[in-house]
Amino acid sequence: MSTQDLPLKGIRVIDYSHFLAGPYVGRCLAALGAEVIKVERPTSGDAGRQHAWFVGNHSGYFLQQNMGKKGLCVNIKDPRGRELLQKLVDSADVFVENYRPGALGKLGLGYEELAARNPGLVYCSISAYGHTGPDAHRAGFGLIAEAKSGIMQMVGTPGEAPPLLRISLGDMYTGIHAVAAINAALLGRVKSGKGQHIDLALYDTLVSMHEYAVQCYTLSGGKEVPVQTGHDMPQSTLYGVFRANDGDLVIAAQVDDAWKRFAALVEQTGGPAGFGADTRFHSTAGRNANRLEILPIARAWVAQRSVADVLKALDAIDVPCAKVQRIDEVLADPQIQARGMVIEQDHPVLGKIRLPNLPFHFSGCDTTVTQVAPDLGQHNAEIAASLGFSDEAIAAMQADGVLYNA
C-alpha cells in the first residue's frame, strides 16, 4: 500500500533521446514519480518505434522503454517549434539526451545554451565514448562498447569467437548509472541551486564494471590477462555451468564451507572415495590449483542426474544453484511473480500487454507504471497549453505540422 508520494513527484524531465540508453533513463525516472515528456521528431519519431518485437504496428521495444511518459512530437526547425521546446526546457528540472557529442549544440540544445536559460537544469548526456577524449566524435552502440571494454573477450569458449551477449549490457548499465547521477545532481541542487552537465559513456561504464579483470592485470604487474575460460572461472573453483542429463544448471560452491558440503555429497552419492575429505581442495588456492582434477568429477556427477535431482540435492545442503532457465520459465517462476517483475498494462489498441517491471521496491510507495507508452505526439496539445500557448496557436501549429501526431 502506498503511504508516501513517489520520490520524484514534481520533477519534470525532458527525454530528448532515442532507442535504448536514454529512453531507459526516462522510464526509470517516470517510475520514480517524475513527469517525463518524450520529445520526438516528425514523422518517424524515436527509432525504437521501428524495433521488434511488433504487435500490429506497435513496437514492444518502444512500449517497454517509454511507458509512463507523455509524448510530444515537434518540428524544432520551425521557429514556433523551437520556441515551444525552449519554453518546455525552461520549465524542466532534467534534460536527457543520447546523441553524438556536439549534435544538439548545432540545434541550440547543448548544455551551455540550455543552462544559460535554466541554470538549475540537470543535463544528462549519454554517448558511446563521452564528450572528451580522442574518440569523443565517434559513433557507437552497446555492442561497440562491449567489444572495446574487454568484457566480450573474456566470454565464451577458448579458441572460438566470443558470442553476442544478447542483452544490451552497455546501454542498460549506463542508463542506471545515469539515473543515480541525475538523482545525486538533483540532491546537490537543493544546496547549490545550480544544475550541471552529467557526461556518461557506454565505454566508461563497462570498463568500470570489471570487478576482477583490471585489478588482476594491474596488481600482477601486467602478467595476468583474463581470457576465455568457457563454462567455469579458474579463480573461483567451483563456480560455473554444468550439464545434467536433461538441461543445464549453475553451481556456486566456491566458498570453503559450501565446497566441503558439495564434495562430501558427491563422495556419498557415487563420487570417488576420499573426495570430500581431500584437504588439497579445502581452500580457494588449493581448489584453483587442482581445478582440472576437480572439474571432471563434478561434471560427471551432474551429468548422471536430472536438473531437478541436482537442484534438490544441493538445496538440501545449502549450496547455491539454479537451473539455466528459458524466458518462458522465467515468466512462470513463482519468485518473479511474487516480486511483481512482470507488469500488465491496459493498452487502448492492443488490450492487455505484459512487460518487464523495474526492480525498484520501496516500503512507502509503488513504482509500478500502469500508463502505457505514448503514441507519437499524443500529448502535444496538453503540453503546449501548459506552456501558455493559446488554442489558436496550437491549432495553427497542428495544421502546419509543427506539432505532429500519428
Side-chain angles (χ1 to χ4, degrees), residues 82-144:
R82 189 177 306 113
E83 178 192 6
L84 188 153
L85 187 57
Q86 287 173 339
K87 285 187 175 182
L88 183 61
V89 175
D90 290 346
S91 72
D93 301 284
V94 178
F95 186 92
V96 179
E97 63 92 6
N98 62 343
Y99 288 84
R100 200 184 304 196
L104 293 192
K106 298 175 183 178
L107 301 174
L109 296 175
Y111 172 67
E112 292 76 12
E113 296 89 344
L114 298 187
R117 298 176 60 98
N118 181 358
L121 185 68
V122 173
Y123 187 111
C124 180
S125 297
I126 299 174
S127 59
Y129 296 100
H131 282 233
T132 59
D135 290 332
H137 67 286
R138 301 182 65 193
F141 292 91
L143 177 67
I144 309 302

Side-chain angles (χ1 to χ4, degrees), residues 46-340:
D46 182 345
R49 290 186 182 273
Q50 284 76 54
H51 198 286
W53 184 261
F54 288 99
V55 180
N57 63 349
H58 289 270
S59 161
Y61 201 90
F62 186 87
L63 291 172
Q64 179 174 331
Q65 303 307 336
N66 293 282
M67 63 175 69
K69 304 175 186 179
K70 294 179 179 178
L72 173 69
C73 187
V74 58
N75 178 9
I76 64 170
K77 294 181 180 179
D78 187 291
R80 293 169 292 175
R82 189 177 306 113
E83 178 192 6
L84 188 153
L85 187 57
Q86 287 173 339
K87 285 187 175 182
L88 183 61
V89 175
D90 290 346
S91 72
D93 301 284
V94 178
F95 186 92
V96 179
E97 63 92 6
N98 62 343
Y99 288 84
R100 200 184 304 196
L104 293 192
K106 298 175 183 178
L107 301 174
L109 296 175
Y111 172 67
E112 292 76 12
E113 296 89 344
L114 298 187
R117 298 176 60 98
N118 181 358
L121 185 68
V122 173
Y123 187 111
C124 180
S125 297
I126 299 174
S127 59
Y129 296 100
H131 282 233
T132 59
D135 290 332
H137 67 286
R138 301 182 65 193
F141 292 91
L143 177 67
I144 309 302
E146 290 161 15
K148 292 273 287 183
S149 69
I151 291 175
M152 184 177 287
Q153 184 269 340
M154 298 190 300
V155 178
T157 302
E160 297 182 5
L164 291 175
L165 298 181
R166 294 298 304 274
I167 60 169
S168 298
L169 188 67
D171 289 278
M172 304 298 267
Y173 193 63
T174 306
I176 202 61
H177 270 72
V179 173
I182 287 167
N183 279 286
L186 288 172
L187 183 61
R189 192 182 66 170
V190 173
K191 295 181 179 180
S192 69
K194 296 180 180 180
Q196 56 184 305
H197 185 205
I198 300 166
D199 173 13
L200 285 161
L202 306 185
Y203 189 16
D204 292 349
T205 53
L206 288 186
V207 171
S208 79
M209 195 173 184
H210 284 293
E211 89 291 354
Y212 168 77
V214 172
Q215 45 97 348
C216 173
Y217 178 77
T218 59
L219 299 183
S220 70
K223 296 178 182 178
E224 294 292 328
V225 178
V227 297
Q228 293 171 307
T229 60
H231 301 102
D232 74 296
M233 293 178 64
Q235 290 79 22
S236 295
T237 308
L238 183 87
Y239 189 95
V241 184
F242 296 84
R243 174 147 288 181
N245 61 27
D246 63 349
D248 299 317
L249 68 147
V250 295
I251 300 173
Q254 80 281 19
V255 179
D256 290 348
D257 288 345
W259 164 260
K260 292 174 184 178
R261 294 193 296 272
F262 173 78
L265 173 67
V266 169
E267 180 181 354
Q268 294 162 10
T269 53
F275 185 64
D278 194 328
T279 57
R280 293 179 300 154
F281 308 152
H282 286 184
S283 68
T284 300
R287 287 190 297 279
N288 292 342
N290 293 282
R291 165 175 165 265
L292 297 181
E293 181 178 345
I294 291 171
L295 283 176
I297 295 171
R299 286 171 179 159
W301 183 83
V302 173
Q304 297 167 8
R305 295 163 171 79
S306 68
V307 170
D309 286 344
V310 175
L311 297 181
K312 182 178 179 181
L314 297 186
D315 281 341
I317 60 171
D318 197 26
V319 170
C321 56
K323 181 180 181 181
V324 177
Q325 297 191 132
R326 301 183 309 268
I327 286 297
D328 59 320
E329 295 173 309
V330 174
L331 299 185
D333 191 325
Q335 179 67 19
I336 289 301
Q337 294 176 352
R339 296 286 290 176

Side-chain angles (χ1 to χ4, degrees), residues 312-367:
K312 182 178 179 181
L314 297 186
D315 281 341
I317 60 171
D318 197 26
V319 170
C321 56
K323 181 180 181 181
V324 177
Q325 297 191 132
R326 301 183 309 268
I327 286 297
D328 59 320
E329 295 173 309
V330 174
L331 299 185
D333 191 325
Q335 179 67 19
I336 289 301
Q337 294 176 352
R339 296 286 290 176
M341 284 307 301
V342 179
I343 58 175
E344 188 174 86
Q345 296 178 328
D346 291 309
H347 193 278
V349 175
L350 303 177
K352 299 287 186 183
I353 58 175
R354 299 170 69 219
L355 295 166
N357 204 351
L358 294 170
F360 303 139
H361 294 276
F362 288 76
S363 62
C365 56
D366 182 4
T367 61

